[in-house]
Short mmCIF file of all heavy atoms in Angstrom, two decimals:
data_model
loop_
_atom_site.label_atom_id
_atom_site.label_comp_id
_atom_site.label_asym_id
_atom_site.label_seq_id
_atom_site.Cartn_x
_atom_site.Cartn_y
_atom_site.Cartn_z
N MET A 1 2.70 -5.47 3.74
CA MET A 1 3.30 -6.18 4.90
C MET A 1 4.75 -6.14 4.80
O MET A 1 5.36 -6.51 3.75
CB MET A 1 2.73 -7.56 4.90
CG MET A 1 3.37 -8.50 5.96
SD MET A 1 3.01 -10.22 6.03
CE MET A 1 1.20 -10.18 6.06
N LEU A 2 5.44 -5.84 5.87
CA LEU A 2 6.86 -5.92 5.95
C LEU A 2 7.22 -7.31 6.57
O LEU A 2 6.64 -7.61 7.61
CB LEU A 2 7.33 -4.81 6.91
CG LEU A 2 8.87 -4.78 7.27
CD1 LEU A 2 9.67 -4.58 5.98
CD2 LEU A 2 9.21 -3.76 8.27
N VAL A 3 8.14 -7.94 5.98
CA VAL A 3 8.60 -9.31 6.49
C VAL A 3 10.06 -9.12 6.83
O VAL A 3 10.90 -8.74 6.02
CB VAL A 3 8.34 -10.43 5.39
CG1 VAL A 3 8.91 -11.69 5.96
CG2 VAL A 3 6.91 -10.52 5.06
N LEU A 4 10.41 -9.50 8.08
CA LEU A 4 11.79 -9.33 8.54
C LEU A 4 12.26 -10.74 9.06
O LEU A 4 11.47 -11.49 9.59
CB LEU A 4 11.86 -8.35 9.69
CG LEU A 4 11.43 -6.94 9.42
CD1 LEU A 4 11.46 -6.13 10.71
CD2 LEU A 4 12.41 -6.33 8.42
N SER A 5 13.52 -11.00 8.93
CA SER A 5 14.16 -12.18 9.56
C SER A 5 14.87 -11.73 10.85
O SER A 5 15.63 -10.75 10.82
CB SER A 5 15.16 -12.81 8.55
OG SER A 5 14.53 -13.26 7.45
N ARG A 6 14.68 -12.43 11.91
CA ARG A 6 15.32 -12.13 13.17
C ARG A 6 15.78 -13.38 13.81
O ARG A 6 15.23 -14.50 13.66
CB ARG A 6 14.30 -11.49 14.14
CG ARG A 6 13.58 -10.24 13.60
CD ARG A 6 14.40 -8.93 13.85
NE ARG A 6 15.55 -8.88 12.95
CZ ARG A 6 16.65 -8.16 13.17
NH1 ARG A 6 16.75 -7.41 14.14
NH2 ARG A 6 17.64 -8.17 12.27
N LYS A 7 16.84 -13.33 14.62
CA LYS A 7 17.33 -14.39 15.41
C LYS A 7 16.91 -14.25 16.82
O LYS A 7 16.60 -13.12 17.22
CB LYS A 7 18.91 -14.39 15.31
CG LYS A 7 19.48 -14.62 13.95
CD LYS A 7 20.94 -14.54 14.00
CE LYS A 7 21.48 -14.81 12.58
NZ LYS A 7 22.98 -14.59 12.53
N PRO A 8 16.82 -15.26 17.64
CA PRO A 8 16.42 -15.15 18.99
C PRO A 8 17.24 -14.05 19.72
O PRO A 8 18.48 -13.96 19.53
CB PRO A 8 16.70 -16.47 19.61
CG PRO A 8 16.46 -17.47 18.44
CD PRO A 8 16.98 -16.68 17.21
N GLY A 9 16.51 -13.21 20.46
CA GLY A 9 17.11 -12.16 21.18
C GLY A 9 17.07 -10.80 20.39
O GLY A 9 17.38 -9.74 20.98
N GLU A 10 16.91 -10.93 19.09
CA GLU A 10 16.84 -9.63 18.34
C GLU A 10 15.49 -9.00 18.37
O GLU A 10 14.51 -9.60 18.63
CB GLU A 10 17.31 -9.92 16.92
CG GLU A 10 18.73 -10.42 16.72
CD GLU A 10 19.06 -10.65 15.33
OE1 GLU A 10 18.19 -11.00 14.45
OE2 GLU A 10 20.27 -10.46 14.98
N ASN A 11 15.50 -7.65 18.15
CA ASN A 11 14.30 -6.85 18.31
C ASN A 11 13.73 -6.26 17.03
O ASN A 11 14.53 -6.17 16.06
CB ASN A 11 14.56 -5.63 19.25
CG ASN A 11 14.97 -6.09 20.62
OD1 ASN A 11 14.41 -6.99 21.22
ND2 ASN A 11 15.85 -5.36 21.26
N ILE A 12 12.53 -5.85 17.04
CA ILE A 12 11.91 -5.08 16.06
C ILE A 12 11.25 -3.94 16.71
O ILE A 12 10.52 -4.10 17.77
CB ILE A 12 10.75 -5.89 15.28
CG1 ILE A 12 11.41 -7.11 14.62
CG2 ILE A 12 10.05 -4.99 14.23
CD1 ILE A 12 10.45 -8.03 14.00
N LEU A 13 11.54 -2.71 16.30
CA LEU A 13 10.92 -1.52 16.92
C LEU A 13 9.82 -0.96 16.11
O LEU A 13 9.91 -0.91 14.82
CB LEU A 13 12.05 -0.42 17.08
CG LEU A 13 13.30 -0.89 17.71
CD1 LEU A 13 14.39 0.26 17.74
CD2 LEU A 13 13.01 -1.18 19.21
N ILE A 14 8.74 -0.61 16.72
CA ILE A 14 7.64 0.04 16.05
C ILE A 14 7.36 1.37 16.68
O ILE A 14 7.01 1.45 17.84
CB ILE A 14 6.28 -0.87 16.18
CG1 ILE A 14 6.55 -2.23 15.61
CG2 ILE A 14 5.07 -0.14 15.52
CD1 ILE A 14 5.46 -3.23 15.81
N GLY A 15 7.62 2.44 15.96
CA GLY A 15 7.60 3.73 16.59
C GLY A 15 8.63 3.92 17.57
O GLY A 15 9.65 3.36 17.46
N THR A 16 8.29 4.69 18.58
CA THR A 16 9.28 4.93 19.59
C THR A 16 9.01 4.13 20.89
O THR A 16 9.83 4.14 21.86
CB THR A 16 9.39 6.41 20.02
OG1 THR A 16 8.08 6.85 20.44
CG2 THR A 16 9.80 7.25 18.78
N ASP A 17 7.86 3.56 21.00
CA ASP A 17 7.46 2.92 22.33
C ASP A 17 7.00 1.48 22.20
O ASP A 17 6.44 0.91 23.24
CB ASP A 17 6.48 3.78 23.06
CG ASP A 17 5.28 4.02 22.16
OD1 ASP A 17 5.15 3.59 21.07
OD2 ASP A 17 4.37 4.81 22.67
N ILE A 18 7.20 0.77 21.14
CA ILE A 18 6.82 -0.58 20.99
C ILE A 18 7.98 -1.45 20.58
O ILE A 18 8.64 -1.07 19.50
CB ILE A 18 5.59 -0.83 19.98
CG1 ILE A 18 4.35 -0.02 20.59
CG2 ILE A 18 5.23 -2.30 19.89
CD1 ILE A 18 3.15 -0.08 19.61
N VAL A 19 8.29 -2.50 21.31
CA VAL A 19 9.44 -3.34 21.02
C VAL A 19 8.97 -4.78 20.90
O VAL A 19 8.37 -5.28 21.85
CB VAL A 19 10.54 -3.21 22.03
CG1 VAL A 19 11.72 -4.19 21.68
CG2 VAL A 19 11.04 -1.73 22.20
N ILE A 20 9.18 -5.46 19.84
CA ILE A 20 8.90 -6.87 19.65
C ILE A 20 10.25 -7.64 19.73
O ILE A 20 11.23 -7.27 19.03
CB ILE A 20 8.34 -7.08 18.21
CG1 ILE A 20 7.13 -6.18 17.88
CG2 ILE A 20 7.94 -8.56 18.04
CD1 ILE A 20 5.89 -6.43 18.70
N THR A 21 10.31 -8.56 20.52
CA THR A 21 11.61 -9.35 20.72
C THR A 21 11.24 -10.89 20.35
O THR A 21 10.30 -11.41 20.87
CB THR A 21 12.04 -9.27 22.15
OG1 THR A 21 12.22 -7.95 22.54
CG2 THR A 21 13.35 -10.06 22.34
N LEU A 22 12.11 -11.38 19.54
CA LEU A 22 12.05 -12.80 19.18
C LEU A 22 12.69 -13.52 20.38
O LEU A 22 13.90 -13.36 20.66
CB LEU A 22 12.70 -13.10 17.87
CG LEU A 22 12.73 -14.58 17.43
CD1 LEU A 22 11.25 -15.04 17.25
CD2 LEU A 22 13.56 -14.81 16.23
N VAL A 23 11.86 -14.33 21.08
CA VAL A 23 12.33 -14.97 22.32
C VAL A 23 12.85 -16.29 22.09
O VAL A 23 13.95 -16.65 22.51
CB VAL A 23 11.15 -15.00 23.33
CG1 VAL A 23 11.65 -15.79 24.52
CG2 VAL A 23 10.72 -13.62 23.74
N GLU A 24 12.20 -17.07 21.20
CA GLU A 24 12.63 -18.48 21.01
C GLU A 24 11.98 -19.03 19.79
O GLU A 24 10.85 -18.69 19.37
CB GLU A 24 12.09 -19.29 22.26
CG GLU A 24 12.48 -20.82 22.22
CD GLU A 24 11.97 -21.50 23.42
OE1 GLU A 24 10.87 -21.17 24.06
OE2 GLU A 24 12.65 -22.42 23.87
N VAL A 25 12.70 -19.93 19.02
CA VAL A 25 12.17 -20.64 17.94
C VAL A 25 12.38 -22.15 18.23
O VAL A 25 13.54 -22.57 18.46
CB VAL A 25 12.90 -20.26 16.63
CG1 VAL A 25 12.38 -21.04 15.46
CG2 VAL A 25 12.71 -18.70 16.44
N VAL A 26 11.31 -22.87 18.21
CA VAL A 26 11.38 -24.34 18.41
C VAL A 26 10.50 -24.97 17.34
O VAL A 26 9.30 -24.82 17.34
CB VAL A 26 10.94 -24.79 19.82
CG1 VAL A 26 10.97 -26.27 19.97
CG2 VAL A 26 11.77 -24.12 20.88
N GLY A 27 11.18 -25.66 16.41
CA GLY A 27 10.39 -26.28 15.31
C GLY A 27 9.66 -25.22 14.58
O GLY A 27 10.22 -24.25 14.04
N ASN A 28 8.32 -25.40 14.42
CA ASN A 28 7.62 -24.38 13.65
C ASN A 28 6.86 -23.38 14.54
O ASN A 28 5.92 -22.72 14.12
CB ASN A 28 6.56 -25.14 12.70
CG ASN A 28 5.47 -25.86 13.55
OD1 ASN A 28 5.56 -26.02 14.78
ND2 ASN A 28 4.50 -26.37 12.82
N ARG A 29 7.26 -23.23 15.80
CA ARG A 29 6.73 -22.37 16.66
C ARG A 29 7.68 -21.22 17.12
O ARG A 29 8.84 -21.49 17.29
CB ARG A 29 6.21 -23.08 18.02
CG ARG A 29 5.15 -24.08 17.72
CD ARG A 29 4.60 -24.64 19.02
NE ARG A 29 3.95 -23.68 19.87
CZ ARG A 29 2.63 -23.37 19.89
NH1 ARG A 29 1.85 -24.08 19.05
NH2 ARG A 29 2.15 -22.48 20.65
N VAL A 30 7.16 -20.06 17.15
CA VAL A 30 7.99 -18.84 17.45
C VAL A 30 7.37 -18.18 18.66
O VAL A 30 6.16 -17.96 18.74
CB VAL A 30 7.99 -17.90 16.30
CG1 VAL A 30 8.83 -16.58 16.59
CG2 VAL A 30 8.61 -18.49 15.11
N LYS A 31 8.19 -17.86 19.67
CA LYS A 31 7.66 -17.08 20.82
C LYS A 31 8.23 -15.69 20.67
O LYS A 31 9.44 -15.50 20.47
CB LYS A 31 8.20 -17.74 22.11
CG LYS A 31 7.53 -18.96 22.46
CD LYS A 31 8.02 -19.53 23.85
CE LYS A 31 7.41 -20.79 24.16
NZ LYS A 31 7.80 -21.35 25.48
N ILE A 32 7.32 -14.71 20.87
CA ILE A 32 7.72 -13.36 20.84
C ILE A 32 7.32 -12.60 22.12
O ILE A 32 6.34 -12.99 22.71
CB ILE A 32 7.13 -12.55 19.53
CG1 ILE A 32 5.61 -12.54 19.67
CG2 ILE A 32 7.60 -13.15 18.29
CD1 ILE A 32 4.95 -11.64 18.64
N GLY A 33 8.07 -11.62 22.48
CA GLY A 33 7.69 -10.72 23.64
C GLY A 33 7.37 -9.33 23.06
O GLY A 33 8.03 -8.86 22.08
N ILE A 34 6.28 -8.76 23.58
CA ILE A 34 5.94 -7.51 23.10
C ILE A 34 5.94 -6.45 24.27
O ILE A 34 5.29 -6.77 25.32
CB ILE A 34 4.47 -7.50 22.52
CG1 ILE A 34 4.43 -8.51 21.38
CG2 ILE A 34 4.09 -6.10 22.02
CD1 ILE A 34 3.05 -8.84 20.92
N ASP A 35 6.71 -5.40 24.10
CA ASP A 35 6.71 -4.42 25.21
C ASP A 35 6.05 -3.18 24.53
O ASP A 35 6.56 -2.65 23.55
CB ASP A 35 8.22 -4.16 25.62
CG ASP A 35 8.32 -3.16 26.69
OD1 ASP A 35 7.29 -3.00 27.50
OD2 ASP A 35 9.30 -2.57 26.93
N ALA A 36 4.97 -2.72 25.15
CA ALA A 36 4.14 -1.61 24.61
C ALA A 36 3.49 -0.91 25.80
O ALA A 36 3.31 -1.46 26.81
CB ALA A 36 3.15 -2.13 23.59
N PRO A 37 3.14 0.35 25.53
CA PRO A 37 2.32 1.07 26.55
C PRO A 37 1.07 0.35 26.95
O PRO A 37 0.50 -0.33 26.04
CB PRO A 37 2.04 2.46 25.92
CG PRO A 37 3.03 2.53 24.83
CD PRO A 37 3.29 1.16 24.32
N ALA A 38 0.62 0.53 28.13
CA ALA A 38 -0.59 -0.16 28.64
C ALA A 38 -1.84 0.16 27.84
O ALA A 38 -2.68 -0.68 27.80
CB ALA A 38 -0.81 0.28 30.17
N GLU A 39 -1.86 1.30 27.18
CA GLU A 39 -3.08 1.63 26.49
C GLU A 39 -3.13 1.06 25.08
O GLU A 39 -4.18 1.15 24.38
CB GLU A 39 -3.16 3.24 26.26
CG GLU A 39 -2.03 3.86 25.53
CD GLU A 39 -0.91 4.29 26.37
OE1 GLU A 39 -0.87 3.92 27.59
OE2 GLU A 39 -0.05 4.96 25.82
N VAL A 40 -2.10 0.30 24.67
CA VAL A 40 -2.10 -0.38 23.38
C VAL A 40 -2.62 -1.82 23.68
O VAL A 40 -2.05 -2.58 24.44
CB VAL A 40 -0.66 -0.48 22.82
CG1 VAL A 40 -0.65 -1.36 21.58
CG2 VAL A 40 -0.15 0.92 22.60
N ALA A 41 -3.79 -2.10 23.03
CA ALA A 41 -4.32 -3.47 23.16
C ALA A 41 -3.52 -4.50 22.27
O ALA A 41 -3.27 -4.19 21.13
CB ALA A 41 -5.81 -3.47 22.68
N ILE A 42 -3.20 -5.57 22.86
CA ILE A 42 -2.46 -6.59 22.05
C ILE A 42 -3.27 -7.91 22.19
O ILE A 42 -3.47 -8.43 23.25
CB ILE A 42 -1.08 -6.87 22.71
CG1 ILE A 42 -0.24 -5.52 22.63
CG2 ILE A 42 -0.27 -7.92 21.96
CD1 ILE A 42 1.08 -5.62 23.34
N LEU A 43 -3.70 -8.45 20.99
CA LEU A 43 -4.49 -9.59 20.88
C LEU A 43 -3.95 -10.50 19.80
O LEU A 43 -3.43 -10.02 18.80
CB LEU A 43 -5.98 -9.28 20.57
CG LEU A 43 -6.72 -8.31 21.46
CD1 LEU A 43 -8.04 -8.00 20.84
CD2 LEU A 43 -6.93 -8.96 22.82
N ARG A 44 -4.15 -11.84 20.01
CA ARG A 44 -3.88 -12.80 18.96
C ARG A 44 -4.94 -12.44 17.87
O ARG A 44 -6.08 -12.12 18.15
CB ARG A 44 -4.05 -14.20 19.42
CG ARG A 44 -3.04 -14.49 20.44
CD ARG A 44 -3.03 -16.11 20.76
NE ARG A 44 -4.31 -16.64 20.74
CZ ARG A 44 -4.97 -17.20 21.80
NH1 ARG A 44 -4.41 -17.18 22.98
NH2 ARG A 44 -6.14 -17.76 21.70
N GLY A 45 -4.53 -12.63 16.63
CA GLY A 45 -5.49 -12.31 15.51
C GLY A 45 -6.77 -13.05 15.56
O GLY A 45 -7.82 -12.43 15.23
N GLU A 46 -6.78 -14.30 15.98
CA GLU A 46 -8.01 -15.07 15.98
C GLU A 46 -9.00 -14.62 17.05
O GLU A 46 -10.19 -14.89 17.03
CB GLU A 46 -7.73 -16.58 16.11
CG GLU A 46 -7.19 -17.04 17.40
CD GLU A 46 -5.65 -16.95 17.47
OE1 GLU A 46 -5.01 -16.31 16.60
OE2 GLU A 46 -5.06 -17.57 18.37
N LEU A 47 -8.51 -13.79 18.02
CA LEU A 47 -9.43 -13.29 19.01
C LEU A 47 -9.90 -11.92 18.80
O LEU A 47 -10.79 -11.38 19.45
CB LEU A 47 -8.66 -13.27 20.43
CG LEU A 47 -8.20 -14.59 20.98
CD1 LEU A 47 -7.43 -14.42 22.21
CD2 LEU A 47 -9.33 -15.58 21.18
N ARG A 48 -9.34 -11.23 17.83
CA ARG A 48 -9.65 -9.84 17.59
C ARG A 48 -11.16 -9.54 17.39
O ARG A 48 -11.65 -8.58 18.01
CB ARG A 48 -8.88 -9.24 16.46
CG ARG A 48 -9.02 -7.74 16.27
CD ARG A 48 -8.06 -7.31 15.24
NE ARG A 48 -8.60 -7.43 13.91
CZ ARG A 48 -8.04 -7.17 12.80
NH1 ARG A 48 -6.75 -6.81 12.81
NH2 ARG A 48 -8.61 -7.31 11.71
N ASN A 49 -11.81 -10.36 16.58
CA ASN A 49 -13.22 -10.10 16.34
C ASN A 49 -14.13 -10.52 17.46
O ASN A 49 -15.25 -10.05 17.51
CB ASN A 49 -13.64 -10.75 14.99
CG ASN A 49 -12.90 -10.11 13.85
OD1 ASN A 49 -12.52 -8.95 13.88
ND2 ASN A 49 -12.64 -10.92 12.79
N GLY A 50 -13.66 -11.48 18.33
CA GLY A 50 -14.54 -11.98 19.33
C GLY A 50 -14.44 -11.34 20.65
O GLY A 50 -15.20 -11.72 21.60
N MET A 51 -13.49 -10.47 20.86
CA MET A 51 -13.20 -9.85 22.18
C MET A 51 -13.75 -8.46 22.23
O MET A 51 -13.56 -7.69 21.36
CB MET A 51 -11.74 -9.93 22.55
CG MET A 51 -11.46 -9.51 23.92
SD MET A 51 -9.75 -9.91 24.23
CE MET A 51 -9.85 -11.41 25.13
N GLU A 52 -14.45 -8.08 23.31
CA GLU A 52 -14.97 -6.79 23.55
C GLU A 52 -13.84 -5.89 24.03
O GLU A 52 -12.89 -6.32 24.73
CB GLU A 52 -16.10 -6.74 24.53
CG GLU A 52 -17.29 -7.49 24.01
CD GLU A 52 -18.32 -7.65 25.08
OE1 GLU A 52 -18.32 -6.86 26.04
OE2 GLU A 52 -19.15 -8.44 24.98
N ALA A 53 -14.00 -4.57 23.79
CA ALA A 53 -12.93 -3.61 24.20
C ALA A 53 -12.53 -3.63 25.68
O ALA A 53 -11.39 -3.63 26.01
CB ALA A 53 -13.32 -2.15 23.79
N PRO A 54 -13.50 -3.74 26.61
CA PRO A 54 -13.10 -3.77 28.05
C PRO A 54 -12.27 -4.97 28.38
O PRO A 54 -11.33 -4.91 29.18
CB PRO A 54 -14.48 -3.73 28.81
CG PRO A 54 -15.43 -3.24 27.90
CD PRO A 54 -15.01 -3.57 26.54
N HIS A 55 -12.58 -6.08 27.75
CA HIS A 55 -11.83 -7.30 28.04
C HIS A 55 -10.32 -7.23 27.49
O HIS A 55 -9.47 -7.64 28.10
CB HIS A 55 -12.50 -8.49 27.49
CG HIS A 55 -13.86 -8.76 28.09
ND1 HIS A 55 -14.71 -9.69 27.62
CD2 HIS A 55 -14.42 -8.31 29.26
CE1 HIS A 55 -15.77 -9.79 28.40
NE2 HIS A 55 -15.57 -8.89 29.40
N SER A 56 -10.26 -6.58 26.35
CA SER A 56 -8.88 -6.49 25.77
C SER A 56 -8.00 -5.68 26.57
O SER A 56 -6.93 -5.93 26.72
CB SER A 56 -8.97 -5.95 24.32
OG SER A 56 -9.43 -4.62 24.34
N SER A 57 -8.56 -4.60 27.17
CA SER A 57 -7.73 -3.74 28.10
C SER A 57 -7.31 -4.57 29.32
O SER A 57 -6.18 -4.46 29.74
CB SER A 57 -8.56 -2.57 28.50
OG SER A 57 -7.75 -1.81 29.46
N ARG A 58 -8.20 -5.34 29.86
CA ARG A 58 -7.93 -6.16 31.04
C ARG A 58 -6.88 -7.22 30.65
O ARG A 58 -5.99 -7.50 31.43
CB ARG A 58 -9.21 -6.78 31.55
CG ARG A 58 -8.97 -7.46 32.95
CD ARG A 58 -10.20 -7.93 33.60
NE ARG A 58 -11.41 -7.62 32.86
CZ ARG A 58 -12.50 -8.33 32.89
NH1 ARG A 58 -12.45 -9.46 33.45
NH2 ARG A 58 -13.56 -8.04 32.25
N ALA A 59 -7.07 -7.80 29.51
CA ALA A 59 -6.11 -8.89 29.09
C ALA A 59 -4.78 -8.30 28.90
O ALA A 59 -3.77 -8.92 29.27
CB ALA A 59 -6.63 -9.52 27.79
N ARG A 60 -4.63 -7.13 28.34
CA ARG A 60 -3.36 -6.45 28.20
C ARG A 60 -2.67 -6.16 29.50
O ARG A 60 -1.49 -6.46 29.69
CB ARG A 60 -3.51 -5.17 27.32
CG ARG A 60 -2.40 -4.28 27.31
CD ARG A 60 -1.18 -4.85 26.44
NE ARG A 60 -0.07 -4.02 26.37
CZ ARG A 60 1.05 -4.14 27.09
NH1 ARG A 60 1.20 -5.13 27.89
NH2 ARG A 60 2.05 -3.30 26.92
N SER A 61 -3.45 -5.70 30.46
CA SER A 61 -2.80 -5.33 31.68
C SER A 61 -2.39 -6.57 32.53
O SER A 61 -1.38 -6.51 33.18
CB SER A 61 -3.76 -4.45 32.50
OG SER A 61 -4.88 -5.08 32.93
N THR A 62 -3.09 -7.64 32.46
CA THR A 62 -2.78 -8.82 33.25
C THR A 62 -1.60 -9.54 32.61
O THR A 62 -0.94 -10.30 33.32
CB THR A 62 -3.96 -9.79 33.37
OG1 THR A 62 -4.48 -10.11 32.11
CG2 THR A 62 -5.04 -9.17 34.21
N SER A 63 -1.49 -9.48 31.28
CA SER A 63 -0.41 -10.18 30.64
C SER A 63 0.88 -9.42 30.53
O SER A 63 1.98 -9.85 30.14
CB SER A 63 -0.76 -10.70 29.32
OG SER A 63 -0.97 -9.56 28.42
N SER A 64 0.81 -8.08 30.87
CA SER A 64 1.97 -7.19 30.77
C SER A 64 3.19 -7.69 31.54
O SER A 64 4.28 -7.70 30.99
CB SER A 64 1.57 -5.84 31.20
OG SER A 64 2.59 -4.91 31.12
N GLN A 65 2.99 -8.03 32.79
CA GLN A 65 4.12 -8.49 33.59
C GLN A 65 4.71 -9.81 33.05
O GLN A 65 5.96 -9.98 32.98
CB GLN A 65 3.77 -8.61 34.99
CG GLN A 65 4.95 -8.89 36.00
CD GLN A 65 5.95 -7.86 35.88
OE1 GLN A 65 5.64 -6.68 36.02
NE2 GLN A 65 7.23 -8.20 35.82
N LYS A 66 3.91 -10.68 32.64
CA LYS A 66 4.43 -11.94 32.08
C LYS A 66 5.21 -11.74 30.87
O LYS A 66 6.27 -12.26 30.63
CB LYS A 66 3.22 -12.89 31.74
CG LYS A 66 2.49 -13.48 32.93
CD LYS A 66 1.32 -14.36 32.55
CE LYS A 66 0.58 -14.82 33.75
NZ LYS A 66 -0.51 -15.61 33.43
N THR A 67 4.77 -10.77 29.98
CA THR A 67 5.44 -10.43 28.75
C THR A 67 6.82 -9.83 29.06
O THR A 67 7.83 -10.14 28.47
CB THR A 67 4.65 -9.49 27.92
OG1 THR A 67 3.37 -10.09 27.54
CG2 THR A 67 5.38 -9.09 26.60
N GLN A 68 6.82 -8.92 30.12
CA GLN A 68 8.04 -8.15 30.46
C GLN A 68 9.02 -9.20 31.08
O GLN A 68 10.24 -9.16 30.74
CB GLN A 68 7.74 -7.12 31.46
CG GLN A 68 8.99 -6.31 31.81
CD GLN A 68 9.54 -5.56 30.67
OE1 GLN A 68 8.83 -5.13 29.72
NE2 GLN A 68 10.86 -5.40 30.62
N ASP A 69 8.53 -10.16 31.87
CA ASP A 69 9.41 -11.17 32.43
C ASP A 69 9.98 -12.03 31.31
O ASP A 69 11.18 -12.40 31.37
CB ASP A 69 8.68 -12.04 33.38
CG ASP A 69 8.25 -11.38 34.63
OD1 ASP A 69 8.75 -10.19 34.93
OD2 ASP A 69 7.37 -11.84 35.37
N LEU A 70 9.24 -12.37 30.27
CA LEU A 70 9.72 -13.17 29.18
C LEU A 70 10.75 -12.45 28.40
O LEU A 70 11.79 -13.01 28.09
CB LEU A 70 8.42 -13.56 28.28
CG LEU A 70 8.72 -14.54 27.20
CD1 LEU A 70 9.19 -15.91 27.75
CD2 LEU A 70 7.46 -14.76 26.39
N VAL A 71 10.51 -11.22 28.14
CA VAL A 71 11.48 -10.46 27.39
C VAL A 71 12.80 -10.23 28.16
O VAL A 71 13.90 -10.39 27.58
CB VAL A 71 10.92 -9.00 26.98
CG1 VAL A 71 11.97 -8.16 26.49
CG2 VAL A 71 9.79 -9.16 26.02
N GLU A 72 12.75 -9.99 29.42
CA GLU A 72 13.91 -9.84 30.27
C GLU A 72 14.69 -11.14 30.42
O GLU A 72 15.97 -11.10 30.69
CB GLU A 72 13.54 -9.24 31.58
CG GLU A 72 13.09 -7.82 31.51
CD GLU A 72 12.56 -7.25 32.82
OE1 GLU A 72 12.63 -8.02 33.87
OE2 GLU A 72 12.18 -6.07 32.81
N SER A 73 14.14 -12.25 30.24
CA SER A 73 14.85 -13.52 30.36
C SER A 73 15.65 -13.85 29.20
O SER A 73 16.47 -14.77 29.32
CB SER A 73 13.87 -14.64 30.68
OG SER A 73 13.06 -14.97 29.46
N VAL A 74 15.52 -13.13 28.13
CA VAL A 74 16.30 -13.41 26.94
C VAL A 74 17.72 -12.82 27.04
O VAL A 74 18.05 -11.90 27.53
CB VAL A 74 15.65 -12.88 25.68
CG1 VAL A 74 16.53 -12.98 24.53
CG2 VAL A 74 14.35 -13.63 25.47
#
């Protein structure tokens, strides 16, 4: 596991097409924005085992615009 320190507004790049942006830190909560291709499923860890593949694709596509709006607001 790679552990990095980031300040709000700073990015982490994964490959050439995935960008993780630290959006906000408030107390012990961190908000991140993830910009990735639509074919990349993005799930919270606790949902990974309980969600079926068709749902994960739908969840990714419906949250894509919200994630992009969040990243652009930084």
Side-chain angles (χ1 to χ4, degrees):
M1 175 187 304
L2 173 64
V3 178
L4 300 171
S5 296
R6 302 278 70 200
K7 295 178 182 176
E10 294 182 332
N11 298 320
I12 298 169
L13 306 174
I14 301 174
T16 59
D17 55 0
I18 299 175
V19 179
I20 310 289
T21 302
L22 181 60
V23 176
E24 180 180 33
V25 179
V26 177
N28 65 350
R29 297 187 62 98
V30 176
K31 290 185 181 180
I32 61 169
I34 304 169
D35 186 20
E39 64 270 10
V40 176
I42 300 172
L43 299 173
R44 295 189 325 244
E46 66 271 17
L47 298 178
R48 188 170 87 186
N49 294 330
M51 188 171 260
E52 298 174 15
H55 293 170
S56 64
S57 175
R58 188 171 0 143
R60 169 67 177 105
S61 64
T62 58
S63 65
S64 178
Q65 187 58 46
K66 290 179 184 177
T67 301
Q68 185 63 31
D69 293 345
L70 187 59
V71 169
E72 290 175 0
S73 71
V74 172

